[in-house]
Amino acid sequence: MPENKSRPSQGRPWEDGWAPDTSRAPGTRRLWLAGGMAMATIIACVTAIAISERDSDGDSAAASTPAADSTVPGLISFATPSGTAPPSGKSGLSKEKPTPEAPHEQNASKPEPAPSKSPSGEAGSPTKAPKPPAATTTWRSVRSVNYPDRYWHMSDGRVGLDQVRGSESREDSTFKQVKGLADSSCYSFATRDGQYLRHRNFVLRAERNDGSALFTQDATFCPRGSAHSSGATMLESVNYPGYFLRHKNFVVRLERYDHSSLYLADSSFHLVDALA
């Protein structure tokens, strides 16, 4: 039998002639075993987590979904603005949107029904002014509050807001204030040639009195105290309560009352002594 030779001592390879196997790194088998166990553990954990999350999501989906008409807490809603600010500046210089379309021409024998009630009594609205003076006839000129150098002035049959230029301009800016044709507690205004100021298509103009009920109401305006300027007067239409005379683009016209500072300034006038 061959003689069994003992394995040379590995502690002294240079003495016994033995050399370690360098074709494989030491501990490789142990590393592979540890890596395999780690991968198996990770795969098992990931699988368990995925299964548990899928089950919990399925159970809580119905409970967490809000009803169609419910409001999700934590959300903040913002209201839509209700309107725009009133235009700034004076009406003669500012550009405003067109006013609401006026009713059809007042050529019927009966007045149209009043579109709204008078705004008197509301906050900031005009109040009743003192009764007209006892005198039956008074010559007046009408001066603007926010354009104190301009007065009502007759031009081409219509009433504008103009500056006084010469004696003829003074005469055209002077009117005879009388008791209202339709209401004696209110005012009517006549020109020197016997015409009356009336609103037609919501523009103030001078026309002959035809004796109709419509004309007398179109030519009658009731004084109201101005909320814009102390001592100023606003003139409200008899047959269109809530509509007041105001100037716009230097033309005197009838428009529905609103609470803007521009409207209040444009519709406030001083009834002063006659210019001529």
Short mmCIF file of all heavy atoms in Angstrom, two decimals, residues 101-113 198-203 205 207 214 218 239-240:
data_model
loop_
_atom_site.label_atom_id
_atom_site.label_comp_id
_atom_site.label_asym_id
_atom_site.label_seq_id
_atom_site.Cartn_x
_atom_site.Cartn_y
_atom_site.Cartn_z
N GLU A 101 -80.51 100.28 -21.65
CA GLU A 101 -81.33 100.76 -22.75
C GLU A 101 -82.62 101.38 -22.23
O GLU A 101 -83.30 100.82 -21.39
CB GLU A 101 -81.66 99.59 -23.68
CG GLU A 101 -82.40 100.02 -24.93
CD GLU A 101 -82.64 98.85 -25.85
OE1 GLU A 101 -82.08 97.79 -25.57
OE2 GLU A 101 -83.38 99.00 -26.82
N ALA A 102 -82.92 102.55 -22.73
CA ALA A 102 -84.10 103.28 -22.25
C ALA A 102 -85.36 102.68 -22.85
O ALA A 102 -85.35 102.06 -23.91
CB ALA A 102 -84.00 104.75 -22.65
N PRO A 103 -86.49 102.82 -22.15
CA PRO A 103 -87.75 102.38 -22.73
C PRO A 103 -88.06 103.11 -24.01
O PRO A 103 -87.42 104.09 -24.38
CB PRO A 103 -88.77 102.72 -21.62
CG PRO A 103 -87.96 102.79 -20.38
CD PRO A 103 -86.62 103.30 -20.79
N HIS A 104 -89.06 102.64 -24.74
CA HIS A 104 -89.38 103.23 -26.04
C HIS A 104 -89.83 104.67 -25.88
O HIS A 104 -90.14 105.13 -24.80
CB HIS A 104 -90.48 102.40 -26.72
CG HIS A 104 -91.76 102.33 -25.93
ND1 HIS A 104 -91.97 101.40 -24.94
CD2 HIS A 104 -92.85 103.12 -25.97
CE1 HIS A 104 -93.18 101.59 -24.41
NE2 HIS A 104 -93.73 102.64 -25.01
N GLU A 105 -89.83 105.38 -26.97
CA GLU A 105 -90.12 106.81 -26.95
C GLU A 105 -91.47 107.09 -26.30
O GLU A 105 -92.44 106.33 -26.46
CB GLU A 105 -90.14 107.38 -28.37
CG GLU A 105 -88.77 107.39 -29.02
CD GLU A 105 -88.78 108.18 -30.30
OE1 GLU A 105 -89.83 108.81 -30.59
OE2 GLU A 105 -87.77 108.16 -30.99
N GLN A 106 -91.52 108.19 -25.60
CA GLN A 106 -92.73 108.55 -24.85
C GLN A 106 -93.66 109.33 -25.77
O GLN A 106 -93.81 110.54 -25.67
CB GLN A 106 -92.34 109.38 -23.63
CG GLN A 106 -91.34 108.69 -22.73
CD GLN A 106 -90.79 109.65 -21.71
OE1 GLN A 106 -91.29 110.75 -21.56
NE2 GLN A 106 -89.75 109.25 -21.02
N ASN A 107 -94.25 108.66 -26.71
CA ASN A 107 -95.15 109.34 -27.63
C ASN A 107 -96.60 108.89 -27.47
O ASN A 107 -97.45 109.21 -28.28
CB ASN A 107 -94.68 109.10 -29.08
CG ASN A 107 -94.51 107.60 -29.35
OD1 ASN A 107 -94.88 106.77 -28.52
ND2 ASN A 107 -93.94 107.28 -30.50
N ALA A 108 -96.87 108.12 -26.42
CA ALA A 108 -98.24 107.70 -26.16
C ALA A 108 -98.93 108.74 -25.31
O ALA A 108 -98.33 109.61 -24.72
CB ALA A 108 -98.24 106.34 -25.45
N SER A 109 -100.23 108.62 -25.21
CA SER A 109 -101.00 109.60 -24.45
C SER A 109 -100.94 109.34 -22.97
O SER A 109 -101.25 110.21 -22.17
CB SER A 109 -102.46 109.59 -24.92
OG SER A 109 -103.02 108.29 -24.73
N LYS A 110 -100.55 108.13 -22.59
CA LYS A 110 -100.46 107.78 -21.18
C LYS A 110 -99.01 107.50 -20.82
O LYS A 110 -98.27 106.94 -21.60
CB LYS A 110 -101.31 106.53 -20.87
CG LYS A 110 -102.80 106.75 -21.07
CD LYS A 110 -103.57 105.50 -20.68
CE LYS A 110 -105.08 105.71 -20.87
NZ LYS A 110 -105.85 104.51 -20.49
N PRO A 111 -98.57 107.90 -19.62
CA PRO A 111 -97.18 107.64 -19.22
C PRO A 111 -96.94 106.17 -18.96
O PRO A 111 -97.86 105.43 -18.60
CB PRO A 111 -97.03 108.46 -17.93
CG PRO A 111 -98.42 108.55 -17.39
CD PRO A 111 -99.34 108.62 -18.59
N GLU A 112 -95.72 105.77 -19.17
CA GLU A 112 -95.36 104.38 -18.88
C GLU A 112 -95.30 104.18 -17.38
O GLU A 112 -95.04 105.12 -16.62
CB GLU A 112 -93.99 104.08 -19.48
CG GLU A 112 -94.00 104.13 -21.00
CD GLU A 112 -92.61 103.87 -21.55
OE1 GLU A 112 -91.65 104.52 -21.07
OE2 GLU A 112 -92.48 103.04 -22.43
N PRO A 113 -95.54 102.98 -16.91
CA PRO A 113 -95.48 102.75 -15.45
C PRO A 113 -94.07 102.96 -14.95
O PRO A 113 -93.09 102.73 -15.64
CB PRO A 113 -95.90 101.27 -15.33
CG PRO A 113 -95.60 100.67 -16.66
CD PRO A 113 -95.85 101.76 -17.66
N ARG A 198 -88.49 119.20 -20.36
CA ARG A 198 -89.08 117.88 -20.13
C ARG A 198 -88.07 116.82 -20.58
O ARG A 198 -87.17 117.08 -21.36
CB ARG A 198 -90.38 117.71 -20.89
CG ARG A 198 -90.22 117.87 -22.39
CD ARG A 198 -90.91 116.97 -23.35
NE ARG A 198 -91.53 115.79 -22.95
CZ ARG A 198 -92.58 115.28 -23.62
NH1 ARG A 198 -93.12 115.95 -24.63
NH2 ARG A 198 -93.09 114.13 -23.26
N HIS A 199 -88.23 115.62 -20.05
CA HIS A 199 -87.37 114.53 -20.50
C HIS A 199 -88.08 113.74 -21.60
O HIS A 199 -89.26 113.41 -21.48
CB HIS A 199 -86.96 113.61 -19.34
CG HIS A 199 -88.11 112.87 -18.70
ND1 HIS A 199 -88.62 111.69 -19.20
CD2 HIS A 199 -88.84 113.14 -17.59
CE1 HIS A 199 -89.60 111.25 -18.42
NE2 HIS A 199 -89.76 112.13 -17.45
N ARG A 200 -87.40 113.55 -22.69
CA ARG A 200 -87.88 112.71 -23.78
C ARG A 200 -86.73 111.79 -24.18
O ARG A 200 -85.63 112.24 -24.45
CB ARG A 200 -88.32 113.54 -24.99
CG ARG A 200 -88.78 112.67 -26.17
CD ARG A 200 -89.04 113.50 -27.41
NE ARG A 200 -90.25 114.28 -27.30
CZ ARG A 200 -91.47 113.81 -27.61
NH1 ARG A 200 -91.61 112.55 -27.99
NH2 ARG A 200 -92.52 114.57 -27.51
N ASN A 201 -87.03 110.47 -24.20
CA ASN A 201 -85.95 109.49 -24.39
C ASN A 201 -84.83 109.71 -23.38
O ASN A 201 -83.65 109.52 -23.68
CB ASN A 201 -85.41 109.54 -25.82
CG ASN A 201 -86.44 109.14 -26.84
OD1 ASN A 201 -87.34 108.36 -26.56
ND2 ASN A 201 -86.34 109.71 -28.04
N PHE A 202 -85.23 110.18 -22.19
CA PHE A 202 -84.34 110.36 -21.05
C PHE A 202 -83.27 111.43 -21.27
O PHE A 202 -82.26 111.45 -20.58
CB PHE A 202 -83.68 109.02 -20.67
CG PHE A 202 -84.67 108.00 -20.21
CD1 PHE A 202 -85.24 107.11 -21.10
CD2 PHE A 202 -85.05 107.97 -18.88
CE1 PHE A 202 -86.17 106.18 -20.67
CE2 PHE A 202 -85.99 107.03 -18.44
CZ PHE A 202 -86.56 106.14 -19.34
N VAL A 203 -83.53 112.35 -22.19
CA VAL A 203 -82.67 113.52 -22.37
C VAL A 203 -83.51 114.76 -22.10
O VAL A 203 -84.65 114.86 -22.56
CB VAL A 203 -82.09 113.56 -23.79
CG1 VAL A 203 -81.30 114.86 -24.01
CG2 VAL A 203 -81.18 112.36 -24.03
N ARG A 205 -84.85 118.35 -22.58
CA ARG A 205 -84.96 119.23 -23.72
C ARG A 205 -86.11 120.21 -23.51
O ARG A 205 -86.93 120.02 -22.60
CB ARG A 205 -85.15 118.44 -25.01
CG ARG A 205 -86.40 117.59 -25.04
CD ARG A 205 -86.43 116.67 -26.24
NE ARG A 205 -85.52 115.54 -26.08
CZ ARG A 205 -84.65 115.17 -27.01
NH1 ARG A 205 -84.54 115.84 -28.15
NH2 ARG A 205 -83.87 114.13 -26.82
N GLU A 207 -89.59 121.96 -24.92
CA GLU A 207 -90.67 121.74 -25.87
C GLU A 207 -91.91 122.53 -25.42
O GLU A 207 -92.06 122.89 -24.24
CB GLU A 207 -91.01 120.25 -25.98
CG GLU A 207 -89.93 119.41 -26.64
CD GLU A 207 -90.34 117.95 -26.81
OE1 GLU A 207 -91.51 117.62 -26.51
OE2 GLU A 207 -89.50 117.16 -27.23
N LEU A 214 -99.01 113.22 -20.18
CA LEU A 214 -97.64 112.75 -20.32
C LEU A 214 -96.66 113.92 -20.27
O LEU A 214 -95.63 113.86 -19.59
CB LEU A 214 -97.47 111.97 -21.62
CG LEU A 214 -96.05 111.49 -21.93
CD1 LEU A 214 -95.55 110.54 -20.86
CD2 LEU A 214 -95.99 110.84 -23.30
N ASP A 218 -93.70 114.57 -17.61
CA ASP A 218 -92.31 114.62 -18.08
C ASP A 218 -91.62 115.92 -17.68
O ASP A 218 -90.40 115.97 -17.59
CB ASP A 218 -92.27 114.48 -19.60
CG ASP A 218 -92.54 113.06 -20.07
OD1 ASP A 218 -92.58 112.15 -19.22
OD2 ASP A 218 -92.69 112.85 -21.29
N ASN A 239 -92.88 110.85 -13.02
CA ASN A 239 -93.42 109.62 -13.61
C ASN A 239 -92.39 108.49 -13.70
O ASN A 239 -92.71 107.39 -14.14
CB ASN A 239 -94.04 109.89 -14.98
CG ASN A 239 -93.08 110.59 -15.94
OD1 ASN A 239 -92.06 111.12 -15.52
ND2 ASN A 239 -93.41 110.60 -17.22
N TYR A 240 -91.16 108.76 -13.28
CA TYR A 240 -90.15 107.70 -13.16
C TYR A 240 -89.49 107.80 -11.79
O TYR A 240 -88.35 108.26 -11.66
CB TYR A 240 -89.10 107.81 -14.28
CG TYR A 240 -89.59 107.30 -15.60
CD1 TYR A 240 -90.24 108.14 -16.49
CD2 TYR A 240 -89.42 105.96 -15.96
CE1 TYR A 240 -90.70 107.66 -17.70
CE2 TYR A 240 -89.88 105.48 -17.16
CZ TYR A 240 -90.52 106.34 -18.04
OH TYR A 240 -90.98 105.86 -19.24
#
